[in-house]
Amino acid sequence: MKIVVLGGDGFCGWPTSLHLSQQGHDVTIVDNLSRRAIDIELEVSSLTPIMPMGTRLRAWKEVSGKTIDFQLLDLAEDFEELRSLLRELRPDAIVHFGEQRAAPYSMRTPKAKRYTVDNNVRATHNVLAAVVAEGLDPAIVHLGTMGVYGYGWSGSAPIPEGYLSVKVPTPDGDLEREILHPANPGSVYHLTKTLDQLLFAFYAKNDGLRITDLHQGIVWGTQTPATSRDERLINRFDYDGDYGTVLNRFLMQAAIGHPLTVHGTGGQTRAFIHIRDTVRCVQMAIENPPAPGTRVSVFNQITETYRVVDLAKLVADLTGAEVAYLPNPRQEAEANDLVVTNDRFMALGREPTTLSEGLMEEVTEIAGKYRDRVDTSKIIARSVWRQGMETSPDLV
Amino acid sequence: MKIVVLGGDGFCGWPTSLHLSQQGHDVTIVDNLSRRAIDIELEVSSLTPIMPMGTRLRAWKEVSGKTIDFQLLDLAEDFEELRSLLRELRPDAIVHFGEQRAAPYSMRTPKAKRYTVDNNVRATHNVLAAVVAEGLDPAIVHLGTMGVYGYGWSGSAPIPEGYLSVKVPTPDGDLEREILHPANPGSVYHLTKTLDQLLFAFYAKNDGLRITDLHQGIVWGTQTPATSRDERLINRFDYDGDYGTVLNRFLMQAAIGHPLTVHGTGGQTRAFIHIRDTVRCVQMAIENPPAPGTRVSVFNQITETYRVVDLAKLVADLTGAEVAYLPNPRQEAEANDLVVTNDRFMALGREPTTLSEGLMEEVTEIAGKYRDRVDTSKIIARSVWRQGMETSPDLV
């Protein structure tokens, strides 16, 4: 298949691109390299030394014999270039990771809020409008987030995969309806993913586009079999307070002897998935698109759920690290339950990677190997949800 | 009160600005004049000879003694200028009409789709982000649309004012929840108003902004008491296939001897409101903002509902015009019922203007007076919802 990976330079996009290329697909990466630009803005770097795109692609060619093309293109701005590219390639599938993806960054400043909305909404809409304008019918696979649902909204009912069955009272009795699960985003970033859902629903209905939305949990891990093949292919590892994800941050903190930073009570329950599974799931989504004329296909791309405090204890027990309870810069419930349905997702035949000592040690080893690259002043999360909220000073 | 009217040069914005000024408020209009620019693009003009903003404001000063300020500013682009303006004025209320508002235009071309999304979403988000960044607490009143709900979704249950009560089945029995009515937009334009709803919900929750969303029906009529005071104050009257609204188009067509253009069966039921009521409703919304920390306040700003074919017959009976049934360029149900709740809206104490011969004649007279300005090649609606849909040739 000819596959375009939008945002193919990022934490999920890069290993997905390699995985799809490894599977024999003809992959073109489209990226504006904004994630690297934001590193410059935040004065922080990936813990792992990621290579420039040219080096990455040459290394991939060397180790695999396969060619991946790269187009430097801003999805939100360069609509005509995007159209030309699609016209030329006529891809069988488009994987869309091309969005600003950090909740804390999206709340950091007015400028970052605006960038997140302006970039993400326009990128998604431009992709849909370009596909329609060119009369194409690719499988479109988008990375959503579990955060569109919010937490603790539906009591003991598990969060469904996208669509919620409800009864609507009418004068003639209850009407059963399946609705898109009500949106309960917790940040501007999550908000943009709820906007994406409405864009997808409209273009599926009006234009018959075949779209899959993968509501992914928090990704952990760094490497996949493909990114491990050469050090120049190494995936990025974000440890800072804006882009770092919680479990990877704990493992990095343990590796450098920093207390594990639990912001708030740690009672937040979240869903998790390993990066190895992300890439396989995207592949399965591409191979199982919805039928034309049907609604958007939604999967909950998660493997297991944990309370943040339990994750911290797990890592502390494994490594002897201390746990530090810090002020929470987010506006969120102190604690929540989280029961999630992922039956459709599991039915695709995946054998999921669960949290295990061996895998966590792999991450800790990577963190240990590159520990000299850590800037400890970047560890504490300080992007506050509202002006004036308390944050912690550096711990070391 | 100090009031900023965003989009104060448009069909609803201009008479609202005059009405609020007339009431003694201190009004500043913000507009990028994009509606006039789109007239140039579409090679069509308002049936009524609207004056440049400078002339409008001088005429208003002459007849009322009141000053309205004007800032030429693009909400989607000029964020820092918007912030400066809000910092300087510290308005008590912001009325937000600053969006591309025609469904057919929003489906016309890839460029128009993109303009509608890029302009509307960014404009709304910039306003919210600017208010938060400046630490202000104005009453924010936004013009939404009845089109966010879709038509015929909830059977015999009336469409509620924004929030729908549903029962969510759980292992422990049904859970009652009030949710934002599921979004069922029928065009890219309507889609943007459903995106606005999610933006508003988030900023109300996270930042405590006080927001009212007025889901308005189709507006008819041209003049209000204020715009009638001087010909230089005349409101715009759109009759073309993209921007003209159905009843005004019928009245214009009757006035020039053109068949009344029913696109499709005419079985579409829609909600209507007179422009006189729009301006009063906005005033009432400003005077009755939601309490801080509460959810977005939603009103269904409509007076009555009609089937399109019944409206055509009404106008035909009144004027002797013929009715022409033309291909429908929209993808929509051939017919739908529409039962709408507007209790909260009516409780504000409005005495609504309903369809009456006298009022319709006023519009017909305006159309008759300016009939020489009609370009009959602009009457047929030809912006199609999907490529290849049939459209009608000119009838005269």
Side-chain angles (χ1 to χ4, degrees):
Chain A
M1 282 203 273
K2 254 189 223 169
I3 303 176
V4 174
V5 181
L6 309 172
D9 185 45
F11 172 56
C12 291
W14 173 244
T16 299
S17 300
L18 293 193
H19 178 71
L20 295 172
S21 175
Q22 179 78 66
Q23 301 290 311
H25 298 302
D26 183 2
V27 174
T28 298
I29 288 176
V30 171
D31 208 296
N32 64 354
L33 304 182
S34 80
R35 184 64 197 83
R36 294 176 192 248
I38 292 174
D39 269 353
I40 295 170
E41 175 194 338
L42 299 181
E43 303 183 359
V44 67
S45 300
S46 165
L47 184 66
T48 49
I50 56 171
M51 292 294 113
M53 183 56 87
T55 308
R56 282 181 153 185
L57 297 182
R58 278 193 300 276
W60 181 243
K61 176 80 176 170
E62 276 177 42
V63 302
S64 73
K66 294 171 194 299
T67 302
I68 294 179
D69 281 331
F70 171 56
Q71 294 285 331
L72 180 63
L73 190 153
D74 189 311
L75 295 173
E77 299 281 351
D78 305 331
F79 181 73
E80 291 306 326
E81 289 88 334
L82 174 64
R83 269 190 78 163
S84 300
L85 183 71
L86 296 180
R87 188 182 316 135
E88 186 191 317
L89 291 178
R90 303 190 68 80
D92 304 293
I94 297 174
V95 186
H96 176 25
F97 294 103
E99 301 186 279
Q100 194 296 101
R101 63 101 176 143
Y105 183 77
S106 79
M107 301 303 290
R108 185 178 177 87
T109 59
K111 188 168 181 172
K113 289 178 189 181
R114 294 180 56 231
Y115 176 71
T116 304
V117 170
D118 294 3
N119 179 73
N120 293 7
V121 174
R122 291 191 298 164
T124 296
H125 185 249
N126 281 350
V127 170
L128 299 170
V131 166
V132 170
E134 292 301 326
L136 302 174
D137 184 32
I140 298 173
V141 175
H142 173 253
L143 255 280
T145 167
M146 286 295 297
V148 298
Y149 301 121
Y151 298 101
W153 183 83
S154 52
S156 55
I159 293 177
E161 290 185 277
Y163 300 94
L164 182 70
S165 292
V166 298
K167 297 176 205 160
V168 181
T170 81
D172 304 314
D174 285 354
L175 208 60
E176 300 229 351
R177 284 278 184 262
E178 272 214 310
I179 63 172
L180 198 60
H181 189 287
N184 298 297
S187 73
V188 166
Y189 156 71
H190 293 102
L191 173 60
T192 63
K193 297 284 184 171
T194 70
L195 304 180
D196 285 342
Q197 287 190 296
L198 298 183
L199 293 167
F200 292 139
F202 178 77
Y203 277 87
K205 183 181 70 169
N206 191 74
D207 300 284
L209 298 194
R210 297 180 299 142
I211 302 168
T212 302
D213 208 359
L214 301 173
H215 289 326
Q216 187 170 244
I218 297 169
V219 184
W220 71 285
T222 315
Q223 298 277 61
T224 62
T227 64
S228 304
R229 290 178 68 177
D230 188 293
E231 195 170 359
R232 291 168 297 168
L233 299 174
I234 199 165
N235 197 19
R236 61 179 304 131
F237 184 121
D238 297 307
Y239 66 92
D240 63 288
D242 275 2
Y243 277 88
T245 55
V246 59
L247 180 54
N248 278 7
R249 276 164 55 81
F250 287 164
L251 294 168
M252 170 279 299
Q253 289 163 354
I256 67 165
H258 189 284
L260 310 185
T261 53
V262 173
H263 291 88
T265 64
Q268 309 94 326
T269 307
R270 293 293 181 268
F272 292 86
I273 183 169
H274 194 278
I275 185 74
R276 294 179 184 191
D277 288 321
T278 294
V279 305
R280 290 191 206 120
C281 293
V282 171
Q283 178 201 339
M284 287 188 294
I286 291 170
E287 290 167 356
N288 295 275
T294 58
R295 69 183 183 186
V296 176
S297 177
V298 181
F299 295 94
N300 290 340
Q301 186 161 302
I302 69 136
T303 299
E304 49 199 332
T305 62
Y306 281 92
R307 283 199 310 162
V308 168
V309 69
D310 295 330
L311 276 184
K313 282 179 189 151
L314 210 67
V315 176
D317 288 346
L318 189 70
T319 62
E322 279 175 36
V323 178
Y325 291 87
L326 309 180
N328 191 351
R330 303 187 184 213
Q331 291 199 112
E332 61 183 356
E334 285 201 348
N336 65 273
D337 292 326
L338 180 60
V339 191
V340 184
T341 306
N342 63 350
D343 302 347
R344 296 189 68 230
F345 175 57
M346 295 301 285
L348 290 180
R350 198 177 55 89
E351 287 167 31
T353 305
T354 51
L355 243 67
S356 68
E357 284 196 14
L359 266 174
M360 287 202 282
E361 272 169 14
E362 185 223 306
V363 181
T364 316
E365 276 161 24
I366 283 186
K369 182 171 178 187
Y370 298 110
R371 54 178 297 161
D372 291 346
R373 291 172 53 90
V374 171
D375 176 349
T376 53
S377 74
K378 300 299 182 186
I379 291 177
I380 304 300
R382 294 206 182 91
S383 290
V384 293
W385 259 233
R386 285 184 74 159
Q387 252 183 333
M389 289 173 78
E390 191 192 358
T391 59
S392 166
D394 290 342
L395 300 185
V396 297
Chain B
M1 282 203 274
K2 254 188 223 169
I3 303 176
V4 173
V5 181
L6 310 172
D9 187 45
F11 172 55
C12 291
W14 172 243
T16 300
S17 300
L18 294 191
H19 178 72
L20 294 172
S21 174
Q22 180 77 67
Q23 302 289 312
H25 297 302
D26 183 1
V27 173
T28 299
I29 288 175
V30 170
D31 208 295
N32 63 353
L33 305 181
S34 78
R35 185 66 198 82
R36 295 177 191 248
I38 292 173
D39 269 353
I40 295 171
E41 174 193 340
L42 299 181
E43 303 183 359
V44 67
S45 301
S46 165
L47 184 65
T48 50
I50 56 170
M51 293 293 114
M53 184 55 88
T55 309
R56 282 181 152 184
L57 297 182
R58 279 192 300 277
W60 181 242
K61 175 79 178 174
E62 275 178 43
V63 302
S64 73
K66 294 172 195 298
T67 302
I68 294 178
D69 282 329
F70 170 56
Q71 295 285 331
L72 179 63
L73 189 154
D74 189 310
L75 295 174
E77 299 281 351
D78 305 331
F79 181 72
E80 292 305 326
E81 290 87 334
L82 175 63
R83 269 190 78 164
S84 299
L85 184 71
L86 296 180
R87 188 182 315 137
E88 186 192 316
L89 291 179
R90 302 190 69 81
D92 303 294
I94 297 175
V95 185
H96 176 26
F97 294 102
E99 300 186 278
Q100 193 297 100
R101 63 101 177 144
Y105 182 78
S106 79
M107 302 302 290
R108 185 177 178 87
T109 59
K111 189 169 180 171
K113 290 178 188 181
R114 293 180 58 231
Y115 176 71
T116 304
V117 170
D118 294 3
N119 179 72
N120 292 7
V121 174
R122 290 192 297 165
T124 296
H125 185 248
N126 280 350
V127 170
L128 299 171
V131 167
V132 170
E134 293 299 327
L136 303 174
D137 185 32
I140 299 173
V141 176
H142 172 253
L143 255 280
T145 167
M146 286 295 297
V148 298
Y149 302 122
Y151 298 100
W153 183 82
S154 53
S156 56
I159 292 178
E161 290 184 278
Y163 300 95
L164 182 70
S165 292
V166 299
K167 296 177 208 160
V168 181
T170 82
D172 303 314
D174 285 354
L175 208 61
E176 301 230 350
R177 284 279 184 260
E178 273 214 308
I179 62 171
L180 198 61
H181 189 288
N184 297 298
S187 73
V188 167
Y189 155 71
H190 293 103
L191 174 59
T192 63
K193 298 284 186 174
T194 69
L195 304 181
D196 285 342
Q197 288 190 296
L198 297 184
L199 293 168
F200 292 139
F202 178 77
Y203 276 87
K205 183 181 71 168
N206 190 72
D207 299 285
L209 297 193
R210 297 180 299 143
I211 302 168
T212 302
D213 208 359
L214 301 173
H215 289 326
Q216 189 170 244
I218 297 170
V219 184
W220 70 285
T222 315
Q223 297 279 62
T224 62
T227 63
S228 304
R229 291 178 70 177
D230 188 292
E231 195 171 359
R232 291 169 297 168
L233 300 174
I234 199 165
N235 197 18
R236 62 179 303 131
F237 185 120
D238 298 306
Y239 67 90
D240 63 289
D242 274 2
Y243 277 88
T245 54
V246 58
L247 180 54
N248 277 8
R249 275 163 55 83
F250 287 163
L251 294 167
M252 170 279 297
Q253 289 162 354
I256 67 165
H258 190 283
L260 309 185
T261 52
V262 174
H263 291 87
T265 64
Q268 310 95 326
T269 307
R270 292 293 181 267
F272 292 87
I273 184 169
H274 194 278
I275 185 73
R276 293 179 185 192
D277 288 321
T278 293
V279 306
R280 291 191 206 120
C281 293
V282 171
Q283 178 201 338
M284 287 188 295
I286 292 171
E287 291 166 357
N288 295 276
T294 59
R295 69 184 182 185
V296 176
S297 178
V298 181
F299 294 94
N300 289 339
Q301 187 161 301
I302 70 135
T303 300
E304 50 198 333
T305 62
Y306 281 92
R307 284 202 307 164
V308 168
V309 69
D310 295 331
L311 275 184
K313 281 179 188 151
L314 209 68
V315 175
D317 289 348
L318 188 71
T319 62
E322 280 176 36
V323 178
Y325 291 86
L326 308 180
N328 190 352
R330 303 186 185 215
Q331 290 199 113
E332 61 183 358
E334 284 201 349
N336 65 274
D337 293 326
L338 181 59
V339 192
V340 184
T341 307
N342 63 351
D343 301 348
R344 296 189 67 228
F345 174 57
M346 295 300 284
L348 291 179
R350 198 177 56 90
E351 288 167 30
T353 306
T354 52
L355 244 66
S356 69
E357 284 195 15
L359 266 174
M360 287 201 283
E361 271 168 15
E362 186 222 307
V363 180
T364 316
E365 276 161 25
I366 284 186
K369 182 170 176 187
Y370 298 110
R371 56 178 295 162
D372 291 346
R373 292 171 53 89
V374 172
D375 176 350
T376 54
S377 75
K378 300 298 182 186
I379 290 178
I380 303 300
R382 294 204 184 94
S383 291
V384 294
W385 260 234
R386 286 183 75 160
Q387 253 183 331
M389 290 173 76
E390 190 193 359
T391 59
S392 167
D394 290 342
L395 300 184
V396 296

